[in-house]
Amino acid sequence: MKTSVITLAHGRHAHLAAQQQALLRSTRLPDDYIVVAMADPEIPGRFPDPLLSGTVIEVPASGSALPLAAARNAGARAALDRGAGLLVFLDVDCLPAPELLAGYASAARDEAAAGRLLCGPVTYLDPPGQAGYDLDVLGTLDAPHPARPAPGPGEIVPDENPDLFWSLSFALTAADWHRIGGFCEDYTGYGGEDTDFARVAQRRGIGLAWIGAARAYHQWHPTQDPPVQHLADILRNANLFHDRWGTWPMGGWLEGFRKLGLMRGGTDEVPCTLTQPAPHPA
């Protein structure tokens, strides 16, 4: 089964380069590597690494918001057109463990995970030293995020809760991608589109499976909690999600914004609205 890795990027060039160095250390190299450059004209001339078989496709921005849902769909279309049987989506900040690709490929053939969205544990790393992360010792830093299941290497844990899905690191077969139909492109910018994707998958009989062998390591970058820099995107996408599903996503973030006095609503049937102009995204 031809395995294609799909990564979206806008900036984060150093993180993208480090990801590719980690991919080159894989016990199973990707058969294809699709970099989706979102409104970033510098990427096509610099990536992918010549030692990796792959290509760059370009997707324009949607106004001021990055088109994450549309970019994932574009990456998948490119991979499928190039013969992919297994799609592996890696966030640009994620460094794959050497066994990640082999772990996803094995799980796609395993009865316990067949017909499911395959999700790997992700460790959030501390800031690196001046020399960057030492790829030889990533495994010693393994401490998966506690908000998600983290089975040990070699273990597979089926899961029926679509709201635990995240798009940092996941894989699915071409057949399952076609059954789901891709990400809803009504979502623009940050937030909600991945939970929506997993809800659609569940509606079509596709649950989750946590793959212990498919570990990844999230490179540090500055952030805010709640992510005020994405406030306008999150509120717009939360309203869309509620219209589609009747529930509110990203509850912790919405509560954080309310406590900061940045929004009202986002509870019961009251839509999210800004109480002051949203900060400009960084």
Side-chain angles (χ1 to χ4, degrees):
M1 184 184 299
K2 183 175 180 178
T3 299
S4 294
V5 173
I6 301 165
T7 295
L8 316 186
H10 172 82
R12 302 279 174 83
H13 297 168
H15 282 197
L16 182 58
Q19 180 187 93
Q20 291 173 87
Q21 290 307 303
L23 282 170
L24 287 169
R25 294 167 178 253
S26 297
T27 59
R28 170 179 176 159
L29 289 175
D31 298 302
D32 203 9
Y33 182 53
I34 309 294
V35 177
V36 185
M38 299 179 293
D40 188 337
E42 294 184 33
I43 288 177
R46 301 175 58 180
F47 300 98
D49 187 288
L51 296 177
L52 290 169
S53 175
T55 190
V56 174
I57 64 172
E58 297 185 74
V59 175
S62 175
S64 61
L66 291 178
L68 300 177
R72 290 196 189 98
N73 289 346
R77 283 194 300 272
L80 294 168
D81 287 346
R82 291 160 64 92
L86 181 67
L87 308 177
V88 177
F89 289 82
L90 275 183
D91 186 276
V92 68
D93 295 321
C94 282
L95 300 170
E99 302 80 16
L100 179 142
L101 291 180
Y104 276 142
S106 176
R109 300 188 298 270
D110 192 295
E111 185 175 338
R116 291 178 177 270
L117 295 175
L118 312 177
C119 303
V122 177
T123 292
Y124 278 76
L125 298 173
D126 291 330
Q130 290 187 346
Y133 295 106
D134 183 348
L135 299 180
D136 290 329
V137 300
L138 281 182
T140 67
L141 306 177
D142 192 67
H145 194 286
R148 299 292 190 280
E155 296 179 338
I156 295 174
V157 176
D159 192 333
E160 304 307 329
N161 183 356
D163 294 348
L164 289 181
F165 174 77
W166 56 8
S167 53
L168 291 175
S169 170
F170 74 98
L172 73 168
T173 64
D176 287 336
W177 175 267
H178 288 305
R179 284 174 64 193
I180 297 168
F183 286 78
C184 174
E185 296 188 13
D186 292 339
Y187 293 91
T188 57
Y190 188 81
E193 84 290 342
D194 47 0
T195 306
D196 184 284
F197 178 78
R199 290 276 187 102
V200 173
Q202 182 188 51
R203 179 178 284 175
R204 296 177 183 170
I206 298 173
L208 310 182
W210 294 92
I211 312 304
R215 302 178 107 75
Y217 301 87
H218 187 281
Q219 302 173 79
W220 181 89
H221 60 78
T223 188
Q224 295 175 275
D225 187 16
V228 174
Q229 71 275 27
H230 298 298
L231 174 63
D233 289 352
I234 289 171
L235 299 197
R236 181 182 61 251
N237 287 344
N239 286 335
L240 172 61
F241 188 97
H242 186 268
D243 288 344
R244 284 169 59 83
W245 299 101
T247 60
W248 291 104
M250 305 175 283
W253 289 347
L254 297 185
E255 179 61 22
F257 294 147
R258 282 191 292 267
K259 288 181 177 178
L260 292 173
L262 298 174
M263 63 162 287
R264 62 174 62 91
T267 58
D268 300 323
E269 300 302 314
V270 182
C272 299
T273 56
L274 291 166
T275 58
Q276 54 185 278
H280 192 277

